[in-house]
Amino acid sequence: MTSFVKPENALKRAEELINVGQKQDALQALHDLITSKRYRAWQKPLEKIMFKYVELCVDMRKGRFAKDGLIQYRIVCQQVNVTSLEEVIKHFMHLSTEKAEQARTQAQALEEALDVDDLEADKRPEDLMLSYVSGEKGKDRSDRELVTPWFKFLWETYRTVLEILRNNSKLEALYAMTAHRAFQFCKVYKRTTEFRRLCEIIRNHLANLNKFRDQRDRPDLSAPESLQLYLDTRIEQLKVATELELWQEAFRSVEDIHGLMCMVKKTPKPSLMVVYYVKLTEIFWKSDSNLYHAYAWLKLFSIQKSFNKNLSQKDLQLIASSVLLAALAVSPYDSKHSASHLELEHEKERNLRIANLIGFNLDSKLESRDVLSRANLLSELVSKGVLSCAIQEVKDLYHLLEHELFSLDLAIKLQPLLDKISKLGGKLSSASSVPEVQLSKYVPALEKLATLRLLQQVSKVYQTMKIESLLQMIPFFYFSAVEKISVDAVKQNFIAMKVDHSRNIVLFGDLGIESDELRDHLTVLAESLNKARAMIYPPVRKSSKIGDILPDLADIVDKEHRRLLARKSIIEKRKEEQERQLLEMEREEESRRLKLLKITEEAEQKRLAAEYEQRKNQRLRREIEERELEEAQALLQEAEKRVGKKKGSKKPVLDSEKLSKQALMQLALTEQLRERQEMEKKLQKLAKTMDYLERAKREEAAPLIEASFQQRLLEERMVHERNQQLEVELSKQRHEGDLKEKNRLARMLESKKIFQERVIGLRREESSRRRAEREEHIRQIIEARKAEREGKRKKIFYVRREEERIRILREEEEARKREEAERRKREEAERKAKLDEIAEKQRQRERELEEKERLRKQSLFGAARLADAPARPDVAPSSRPLDSGTAAPAAAAAAAPSPAKYVPKFRRSEGSTPNAPPPESDRWGGNRPDNRPSQPDSWRSDDRRPAFGSSRALWSSSRVRPSTDH
């Protein structure tokens, strides 16, 4: 861990590491600084360090480091500067959101990029194989590689910030803003799982807030600002839950809002309550709880009528019609007719709970079916004037279904009313929090109610009826649907009917006759008469004679009683033993069941994991496809909402299919610009009015200020004169006292001078001594430094001399080596030249020897022919003339002692003339004693021998080379 004297040094070090690409080391250095106990007091540089720290954490996706650093910085800033922590957290969330958006944009760009060379070519084989193996498209892979890691980090960022800001009164606004941004993240990207976790996190934070009441900086929910922030957060949670269609989580959000209202015991603003009841109507409608849905609509109608001053008559009629139709859509019979007592108690508790959520204070002692019922609801609608505010068609429908005598042509009368009602509805202009009211969704429930009313009336009029006739009276459904409705009604004891498919008829019965109370009416009558007779004529009790007849009856009864007790104890023991065995068997069975359940759960988990992956892939595919459509619809709704708020303004025709997203944005910007201009005009008018008022006030106040100033000037002059006189008197008194003190101290002047001279002398001696010591010390230091410098100079001189000597020796050695190398090159060149010259001489000598040998042979052959000439006279002498080279050998041969006598070769040369050339010397410069030729005859007879002889001469010269070098 590196320690820094100043925090700025750590920031500089981190920037240096970042510039060389070592982001991990830079992050670690900043983390060590932030978590160090040395910097627990807030400083301005710490804020810059935190900005750089969160930037590194976001770039490297280090969520754990970011959380640790923010927790430590919260400890530092909690009591000093909370605004700094707020800025750092906002910067952190902004960077995370920006990175996630960049990743999503990059993934879209990769998906939209055209990365093929041939537009008419099919997909590559490797792409097809990859898509078949992986089971996902290129978009899914790019989302998983680019978008998913950044979305995970953004979600972790929201969780970290919420955990840091929880239950802190100084950071309530930032906590609410973070929760809203997290809700929007879940809403935009359809993150249902993360939304559930987020709701649970916020719910746990509120629970801990109520649990730990002695916590420092704990938010006070009784404060209006805190309560408003918490309610706004829960309302936004409820909105997002309904938009994501998470109805169970939406109902839990409703319970959270109700619990928060009960906790602080304050009624929120009407605008929030409108949103609350609007979402309640949606939740109850999705859960098929028509009764609760109608009660929620009634509460919403009451709030709108009481607090919305801008509510128009048309909107009021639409809301009242929705309330009335919702009440009529409730089933006319009790669904818990034959339920058990336990089910009735549960239903009663559920009704009380829902009534508390809706806001109705009901008596818990009432019956379960009287807490919230259709009859009570209809009577309350009439008493509160809802019926009078509804549309005329809805009123007629209500009278037909509830008050008039049900005729058999009820369907014919209802059909046009239902057609008109299905076309009514629309978005309310003045009640912006209420969603679009569509009365057509109540038409199926009203058709079912009309069917029940017709069946009820037909059961009173007919006993049998053909199915075709019944279907003509009920044109709303097929007979299968009518049969299903009738079965449910018969089950709930609303009507009595049977269907005979063999005869194709419907049998109706009397519900009163077939009821359980009248089936045994004679038995009940007989029992009642017997009780009445017994009350009028009580029976006379007679004395019993059993005691006289059976005197031992008491003992027998006692014995029998004891025997029965013993038998009862035996039976109890047997029962206990049997129960113990059954319990053991149940335990074994339970263990087997748990093992089987564990195996089943593992298989189910695998299946759910596979399904989850499949749903995840499908959801990711749908998200990108629906995003553009949702953005365009949101802009369209925003534009319609702004137009609807203005009084008397003509609502523009906006068609989401024709208008593009850019046109809607331009329309919204134009509207904002116009509102801004109107606001600027109002501000200018207000500033002008305030200027006039301020000028008038100053004109009126000017004489008053002048009079006040003169009065104050007079008072201050008097105060100044009084203070000056008092100061003169005090100065005189002080002067007199100082003179007395001077006279008193004049007696000690001589002693003071003596003491002063003694002290000054001692100090002068001490100063001289210290000056001498200092000069001696300085002289020693100077000499030591001089000696040190001299030693350094000598050492440097010696080192330089030694380096110069070594350099000279090195240069001399290199020069000698160069001269030696040049000399060797020259000698080698000379030696090669000598060898070439010797070889050339040797070759010349061999050629001369060969020529001489050739001439000698010719001379010998000529002398032999001359010797043989007298013996053969018939042979004429050769007419070929001889050259001068052969004349001498011929004469020598003629001078031989005996021409016919054989002469050896070594004797033939003795008779040569004295002018003959001397014998040849051998190859080594010596003469041969036997005058043999230098080479054998066999060598001279071969044409290739001269070349071999020249090479032999070269070989012999190379053997002589060492002596030549020497």
Coordinates of all heavy atoms in Angstrom, one line a residue, residues 315-373:
D315 N -66.6 14.2 -19.1 CA -65.8 13.3 -18.3 C -66.4 12.7 -17.1 O -66.3 11.5 -16.8 CB -64.5 14.0 -17.9 CG -63.7 14.5 -19.1 OD1 -63.9 14.0 -20.2 OD2 -62.9 15.4 -19.0
L316 N -67.2 13.5 -16.4 CA -68.0 13.0 -15.3 C -68.9 12.0 -15.7 O -69.1 10.9 -15.0 CB -68.7 14.2 -14.6 CG -69.4 13.9 -13.3 CD1 -68.5 13.4 -12.2 CD2 -70.2 15.1 -12.8
Q317 N -69.6 12.1 -16.8 CA -70.5 11.1 -17.3 C -69.8 9.8 -17.6 O -70.3 8.7 -17.3 CB -71.3 11.6 -18.5 CG -72.3 12.7 -18.2 CD -73.1 13.2 -19.5 OE1 -72.7 12.8 -20.6 NE2 -74.1 14.0 -19.3
L318 N -68.6 9.9 -18.3 CA -67.9 8.7 -18.6 C -67.4 8.0 -17.3 O -67.6 6.7 -17.3 CB -66.6 9.1 -19.4 CG -66.9 9.3 -20.9 CD1 -65.6 9.8 -21.6 CD2 -67.4 8.1 -21.6
I319 N -67.0 8.7 -16.3 CA -66.5 8.0 -15.1 C -67.7 7.4 -14.4 O -67.7 6.3 -13.9 CB -65.8 9.0 -14.2 CG1 -64.5 9.6 -14.8 CG2 -65.5 8.4 -12.8 CD1 -63.8 10.6 -14.0
A320 N -68.9 8.1 -14.3 CA -70.1 7.6 -13.7 C -70.6 6.4 -14.4 O -71.0 5.4 -13.8 CB -71.1 8.7 -13.6
S321 N -70.5 6.4 -15.7 CA -71.0 5.2 -16.5 C -70.0 4.0 -16.3 O -70.5 2.9 -16.2 CB -70.9 5.6 -18.0 OG -71.8 6.7 -18.3
S322 N -68.7 4.3 -16.1 CA -67.8 3.2 -15.8 C -68.1 2.6 -14.5 O -68.1 1.3 -14.3 CB -66.4 3.7 -15.9 OG -66.0 4.2 -17.1
V323 N -68.4 3.4 -13.5 CA -68.8 2.9 -12.2 C -70.0 2.1 -12.2 O -70.1 0.9 -11.7 CB -68.9 4.1 -11.2 CG1 -69.4 3.6 -9.8 CG2 -67.7 4.9 -11.0
L324 N -71.0 2.5 -12.9 CA -72.3 1.8 -13.0 C -72.2 0.5 -13.7 O -72.7 -0.5 -13.3 CB -73.4 2.7 -13.6 CG -74.8 2.2 -13.5 CD1 -75.2 2.0 -12.1 CD2 -75.7 3.2 -14.2
L325 N -71.4 0.5 -14.9 CA -71.3 -0.7 -15.6 C -70.4 -1.7 -14.9 O -70.6 -2.9 -14.9 CB -70.6 -0.4 -17.0 CG -71.5 0.4 -18.0 CD1 -70.7 0.7 -19.2 CD2 -72.7 -0.4 -18.3
A326 N -69.4 -1.2 -14.1 CA -68.6 -2.1 -13.3 C -69.4 -2.8 -12.2 O -69.2 -4.0 -11.9 CB -67.4 -1.3 -12.7
A327 N -70.4 -2.0 -11.6 CA -71.2 -2.6 -10.6 C -72.2 -3.6 -11.3 O -72.5 -4.7 -10.7 CB -72.0 -1.5 -9.9
L328 N -72.7 -3.4 -12.5 CA -73.6 -4.3 -13.1 C -72.8 -5.6 -13.6 O -73.4 -6.6 -13.7 CB -74.2 -3.6 -14.4 CG -75.3 -2.5 -14.1 CD1 -75.7 -1.9 -15.4 CD2 -76.4 -3.1 -13.3
A329 N -71.5 -5.4 -13.8 CA -70.7 -6.6 -14.3 C -70.5 -7.6 -13.2 O -70.0 -8.7 -13.4 CB -69.4 -6.1 -14.8
V330 N -70.8 -7.2 -11.9 CA -70.6 -8.2 -10.8 C -71.7 -9.3 -10.9 O -72.8 -9.0 -11.3 CB -70.8 -7.4 -9.5 CG1 -70.6 -8.4 -8.3 CG2 -69.7 -6.3 -9.4
S331 N -71.3 -10.5 -10.6 CA -72.2 -11.6 -10.7 C -73.4 -11.4 -9.7 O -73.2 -11.0 -8.6 CB -71.5 -12.9 -10.3 OG -72.4 -14.0 -10.3
P332 N -74.7 -11.7 -10.1 CA -75.8 -11.4 -9.3 C -76.0 -12.4 -8.2 O -76.9 -12.3 -7.3 CB -77.0 -11.5 -10.3 CG -76.5 -12.4 -11.3 CD -75.0 -12.2 -11.5
Y333 N -75.2 -13.5 -8.1 CA -75.4 -14.5 -7.0 C -74.1 -14.5 -6.2 O -73.0 -14.1 -6.7 CB -75.7 -15.8 -7.6 CG -74.9 -16.3 -8.7 CD1 -73.6 -16.8 -8.5 CD2 -75.3 -16.2 -10.0 CE1 -72.8 -17.2 -9.6 CE2 -74.5 -16.6 -11.1 CZ -73.3 -17.1 -10.9 OH -72.5 -17.5 -11.9
D334 N -74.2 -15.1 -5.0 CA -73.1 -15.2 -4.1 C -72.3 -16.4 -4.5 O -72.8 -17.5 -4.6 CB -73.6 -15.3 -2.7 CG -72.5 -15.2 -1.7 OD1 -71.3 -15.0 -2.1 OD2 -72.7 -15.5 -0.5
S335 N -71.0 -16.2 -4.7 CA -70.1 -17.3 -5.1 C -69.8 -18.3 -4.0 O -69.3 -19.4 -4.2 CB -68.8 -16.8 -5.7 OG -68.1 -16.0 -4.8
K336 N -70.1 -17.9 -2.7 CA -69.8 -18.7 -1.5 C -71.1 -19.2 -0.9 O -71.2 -19.3 0.3 CB -69.0 -17.9 -0.5 CG -67.7 -17.3 -1.0 CD -66.7 -18.4 -1.3 CE -65.4 -17.9 -1.8 NZ -64.4 -18.9 -2.1
H337 N -72.0 -19.6 -1.8 CA -73.3 -20.1 -1.2 C -73.2 -21.3 -0.4 O -73.7 -21.4 0.7 CB -74.3 -20.3 -2.4 CG -75.6 -20.9 -2.0 ND1 -76.5 -20.1 -1.3 CD2 -76.1 -22.1 -2.1 CE1 -77.6 -20.8 -1.1 NE2 -77.3 -22.1 -1.5
S338 N -72.5 -22.3 -0.9 CA -72.4 -23.6 -0.2 C -71.0 -23.8 0.4 O -70.5 -24.9 0.6 CB -72.6 -24.7 -1.2 OG -71.8 -24.7 -2.2
A339 N -70.3 -22.7 0.8 CA -68.9 -22.8 1.3 C -69.0 -23.2 2.8 O -70.0 -23.0 3.5 CB -68.2 -21.5 1.1
S340 N -67.9 -23.7 3.3 CA -67.8 -24.0 4.7 C -67.6 -22.8 5.6 O -67.4 -21.7 5.1 CB -66.6 -25.0 4.9 OG -65.4 -24.4 4.6
H341 N -67.7 -23.1 6.9 CA -67.5 -22.0 7.8 C -66.1 -21.3 7.7 O -65.9 -20.1 7.8 CB -67.8 -22.5 9.2 CG -67.6 -21.4 10.3 ND1 -68.5 -20.3 10.4 CD2 -66.6 -21.2 11.2 CE1 -68.0 -19.5 11.4 NE2 -66.9 -20.1 11.9
L342 N -65.1 -22.2 7.6 CA -63.7 -21.7 7.5 C -63.5 -20.9 6.2 O -62.9 -19.8 6.3 CB -62.7 -22.9 7.5 CG -61.2 -22.5 7.5 CD1 -60.9 -21.7 8.7 CD2 -60.4 -23.8 7.4
E343 N -64.1 -21.3 5.1 CA -64.0 -20.5 3.9 C -64.7 -19.2 4.0 O -64.2 -18.2 3.5 CB -64.5 -21.3 2.7 CG -63.7 -22.5 2.3 CD -64.3 -23.3 1.2 OE1 -65.5 -23.0 0.8 OE2 -63.7 -24.3 0.7
L344 N -65.8 -19.2 4.7 CA -66.6 -18.0 4.9 C -65.8 -17.0 5.8 O -65.8 -15.8 5.5 CB -67.9 -18.2 5.5 CG -68.9 -19.0 4.6 CD1 -70.2 -19.3 5.4 CD2 -69.3 -18.2 3.4
E345 N -65.1 -17.5 6.8 CA -64.2 -16.6 7.6 C -63.1 -16.0 6.8 O -62.7 -14.8 6.9 CB -63.7 -17.4 8.8 CG -64.8 -17.7 9.8 CD -65.3 -16.5 10.5 OE1 -64.6 -15.5 10.6 OE2 -66.5 -16.5 10.8
H346 N -62.5 -16.9 6.0 CA -61.4 -16.4 5.1 C -61.9 -15.3 4.2 O -61.2 -14.3 3.9 CB -60.7 -17.5 4.3 CG -59.9 -18.4 5.2 ND1 -59.0 -17.9 6.2 CD2 -59.7 -19.8 5.2 CE1 -58.4 -18.9 6.8 NE2 -58.8 -20.1 6.2
E347 N -63.1 -15.6 3.6 CA -63.6 -14.6 2.7 C -64.0 -13.3 3.4 O -63.8 -12.2 2.8 CB -64.9 -15.2 2.0 CG -65.6 -14.3 1.0 CD -64.7 -14.1 -0.2 OE1 -63.8 -14.9 -0.4 OE2 -65.0 -13.1 -1.0
K348 N -64.4 -13.4 4.6 CA -64.7 -12.2 5.4 C -63.4 -11.4 5.7 O -63.4 -10.1 5.5 CB -65.4 -12.6 6.7 CG -65.8 -11.4 7.6 CD -66.4 -11.9 8.9 CE -66.8 -10.7 9.8 NZ -67.4 -11.2 11.1
E349 N -62.4 -12.1 6.1 CA -61.1 -11.4 6.3 C -60.6 -10.8 5.0 O -60.0 -9.6 5.0 CB -60.1 -12.4 6.9 CG -60.4 -12.9 8.3 CD -59.4 -13.9 8.7 OE1 -58.4 -14.2 8.0 OE2 -59.5 -14.4 9.9
R350 N -60.7 -11.5 3.9 CA -60.3 -10.9 2.7 C -61.1 -9.7 2.3 O -60.5 -8.7 1.8 CB -60.4 -12.0 1.6 CG -59.9 -11.6 0.2 CD -59.8 -12.8 -0.7 NE -59.4 -12.4 -2.0 CZ -60.2 -12.2 -3.1 NH1 -61.5 -12.3 -2.9 NH2 -59.7 -11.9 -4.2
N351 N -62.4 -9.7 2.5 CA -63.2 -8.5 2.2 C -62.8 -7.3 3.1 O -62.8 -6.2 2.6 CB -64.7 -8.9 2.4 CG -65.2 -9.8 1.3 OD1 -64.6 -9.8 0.2 ND2 -66.3 -10.5 1.5
L352 N -62.5 -7.6 4.4 CA -62.1 -6.5 5.2 C -60.8 -5.9 4.8 O -60.6 -4.7 4.8 CB -62.0 -7.0 6.7 CG -63.4 -7.3 7.4 CD1 -63.1 -8.0 8.7 CD2 -64.2 -6.0 7.6
R353 N -59.9 -6.8 4.4 CA -58.6 -6.4 3.9 C -58.7 -5.5 2.7 O -58.1 -4.4 2.6 CB -57.7 -7.6 3.7 CG -56.3 -7.3 3.2 CD -55.6 -8.6 2.9 NE -54.3 -8.4 2.3 CZ -53.6 -9.3 1.7 NH1 -54.1 -10.6 1.7 NH2 -52.4 -9.1 1.2
I354 N -59.5 -6.0 1.7 CA -59.7 -5.2 0.5 C -60.4 -3.9 0.8 O -60.1 -2.9 0.2 CB -60.4 -6.1 -0.6 CG1 -59.6 -7.3 -0.9 CG2 -60.7 -5.3 -1.8 CD1 -58.3 -7.0 -1.5
A355 N -61.4 -4.0 1.7 CA -62.1 -2.7 2.0 C -61.2 -1.7 2.6 O -61.3 -0.5 2.4 CB -63.2 -3.1 3.0
N356 N -60.2 -2.1 3.4 CA -59.2 -1.2 4.0 C -58.3 -0.6 2.9 O -58.0 0.6 2.9 CB -58.4 -1.9 5.0 CG -59.2 -2.2 6.3 OD1 -60.1 -1.5 6.6 ND2 -58.8 -3.3 6.9
L357 N -58.0 -1.5 1.9 CA -57.2 -0.9 0.8 C -57.9 0.1 0.0 O -57.4 1.1 -0.5 CB -56.7 -2.1 -0.1 CG -55.6 -3.0 0.5 CD1 -55.3 -4.2 -0.5 CD2 -54.4 -2.3 0.9
I358 N -59.2 -0.2 -0.2 CA -60.0 0.7 -1.1 C -60.4 2.0 -0.3 O -60.5 3.0 -0.9 CB -61.3 0.0 -1.5 CG1 -60.9 -1.2 -2.4 CG2 -62.2 0.9 -2.3 CD1 -62.1 -2.1 -2.9
G359 N -60.5 1.8 1.0 CA -60.8 3.0 1.8 C -62.2 3.1 2.4 O -62.6 4.1 2.8
F360 N -62.8 1.9 2.5 CA -64.1 1.8 3.1 C -64.0 1.3 4.5 O -63.4 0.3 4.8 CB -65.0 0.9 2.3 CG -65.5 1.5 1.0 CD1 -64.8 1.3 -0.2 CD2 -66.7 2.3 1.0 CE1 -65.2 1.9 -1.3 CE2 -67.1 2.8 -0.2 CZ -66.4 2.6 -1.4
N361 N -64.6 2.1 5.5 CA -64.6 1.7 6.9 C -65.9 0.8 7.1 O -67.0 1.3 7.2 CB -64.6 2.9 7.8 CG -63.3 3.7 7.6 OD1 -62.2 3.1 7.4 ND2 -63.4 5.0 7.6
L362 N -65.7 -0.5 7.3 CA -66.8 -1.4 7.5 C -66.8 -2.0 8.8 O -65.7 -2.1 9.5 CB -66.8 -2.5 6.4 CG -66.8 -2.0 4.9 CD1 -66.7 -3.1 4.0 CD2 -68.1 -1.2 4.7
D363 N -67.9 -2.5 9.2 CA -68.0 -3.1 10.6 C -67.6 -4.6 10.4 O -68.2 -5.3 9.6 CB -69.5 -3.0 11.1 CG -69.6 -3.5 12.5 OD1 -68.5 -3.8 13.1 OD2 -70.7 -3.5 13.0
S364 N -66.6 -5.0 11.2 CA -66.1 -6.4 11.1 C -67.1 -7.4 11.7 O -66.9 -8.6 11.5 CB -64.8 -6.5 11.8 OG -64.9 -6.2 13.2
K365 N -68.1 -6.9 12.4 CA -69.1 -7.9 13.0 C -70.2 -8.3 12.1 O -71.0 -9.2 12.4 CB -69.7 -7.2 14.3 CG -68.8 -6.9 15.4 CD -69.5 -6.3 16.6 CE -68.5 -6.0 17.7 NZ -69.1 -5.4 18.8
L366 N -70.2 -7.7 10.9 CA -71.2 -8.1 9.9 C -70.9 -9.4 9.3 O -69.8 -9.9 9.5 CB -71.3 -7.0 8.8 CG -71.8 -5.6 9.2 CD1 -71.7 -4.7 8.1 CD2 -73.2 -5.7 9.8
E367 N -71.9 -10.0 8.6 CA -71.6 -11.3 8.0 C -70.6 -11.1 6.8 O -70.5 -9.9 6.3 CB -72.9 -11.9 7.4 CG -73.9 -12.3 8.5 CD -73.4 -13.4 9.3 OE1 -72.6 -14.2 8.8 OE2 -73.7 -13.5 10.5
S368 N -70.0 -12.2 6.4 CA -69.0 -12.0 5.3 C -69.6 -11.6 4.0 O -69.0 -10.8 3.3 CB -68.3 -13.4 5.1 OG -69.3 -14.4 4.7
R369 N -70.9 -12.0 3.8 CA -71.5 -11.6 2.5 C -72.1 -10.2 2.6 O -72.5 -9.7 1.6 CB -72.6 -12.6 2.1 CG -73.7 -12.6 3.1 CD -74.6 -13.8 2.8 NE -73.9 -15.1 3.1 CZ -74.4 -16.3 2.8 NH1 -75.5 -16.4 2.2 NH2 -73.7 -17.4 3.1
D370 N -72.1 -9.6 3.8 CA -72.6 -8.2 3.9 C -71.6 -7.2 4.0 O -71.8 -6.0 4.0 CB -73.5 -8.1 5.2 CG -74.8 -9.0 5.1 OD1 -75.2 -9.2 3.9 OD2 -75.3 -9.5 6.1
V371 N -70.3 -7.6 4.0 CA -69.2 -6.6 4.1 C -69.1 -5.8 2.8 O -69.2 -4.6 2.8 CB -67.9 -7.3 4.5 CG1 -66.7 -6.3 4.4 CG2 -68.0 -8.0 5.8
L372 N -68.9 -6.6 1.7 CA -68.9 -6.0 0.4 C -69.8 -6.8 -0.5 O -69.5 -8.0 -0.7 CB -67.5 -5.9 -0.2 CG -66.4 -5.0 0.5 CD1 -65.1 -5.2 -0.1 CD2 -66.8 -3.6 0.4
S373 N -70.8 -6.3 -1.0 CA -71.8 -7.0 -1.8 C -72.3 -6.2 -2.9 O -72.2 -5.0 -2.9 CB -72.9 -7.5 -0.9 OG -73.7 -6.4 -0.4

